[in-house]
Amino acid sequence: MLKNIKTRVIIELVNEVVYQEGQVVSKTLSQNDAMSLTLFAFDKGEGLSKHTALGDAMVTILDGSAKITIGNDEFFPKAGETLVMPANIPHSLDAIEPFKMQLLVVFK
């Protein structure tokens, strides 16, 4: 079930989270045993340190660009691009400029 988002109206996901200086802002839209759907806004210089996820994680960049490291590989996706981070592979995210993303993690 979805939460924290309007229904029956057209929305722009990029406007559903707001940048905050020196912070990572998140907004959970859905979370259960099978999946998690979250929006994030990263200020420049912020990020998520190396970690693993129990499910495949699909990141869609909504605004700006990021550096995403999966294992030893570096990627630089920008607005409109999507990258899948496989389950159980260490990955990290760094804001080389402010960026917003949608994160879908599928556990099952």
Side-chain angles (χ1 to χ4, degrees):
M1 179 162 241
L2 288 172
K3 62 182 183 179
N4 301 321
I5 196 162
K6 293 178 183 178
T7 61
R8 297 178 58 129
V9 296
I10 295 172
I11 59 170
E12 293 181 351
L13 289 178
V14 70
N15 296 324
E16 292 295 311
V17 285
V18 178
Y19 293 117
Q20 292 187 22
E21 187 175 340
Q23 295 187 27
V24 176
V25 177
S26 66
K27 182 176 184 178
T28 301
L29 301 181
S30 185
Q31 190 166 15
N32 58 47
D33 292 341
M35 57 80 67
S36 173
L37 179 60
T38 308
L39 301 176
F40 287 90
F42 292 78
D43 193 20
K44 182 178 180 177
E46 298 298 316
L48 296 177
S49 60
K50 189 178 285 190
H51 63 283
T52 59
L54 297 176
D56 291 334
M58 185 172 73
V59 170
T60 300
I61 304 298
L62 303 172
D63 184 45
S65 62
K67 174 185 167 187
I68 299 178
T69 304
I70 305 172
N72 294 319
D73 299 320
E74 293 181 347
F75 302 88
F76 296 89
K78 59 186 182 303
E81 296 180 336
T82 298
L83 180 64
V84 175
M85 301 174 289
N88 303 310
I89 304 293
H91 58 271
S92 63
L93 294 91
D94 296 292
I96 52 179
E97 65 177 343
F99 82 96
K100 295 179 182 181
M101 71 177 197
Q102 174 183 277
L103 174 65
L104 172 63
V105 182
V106 179
F107 300 109
K108 296 182 178 183

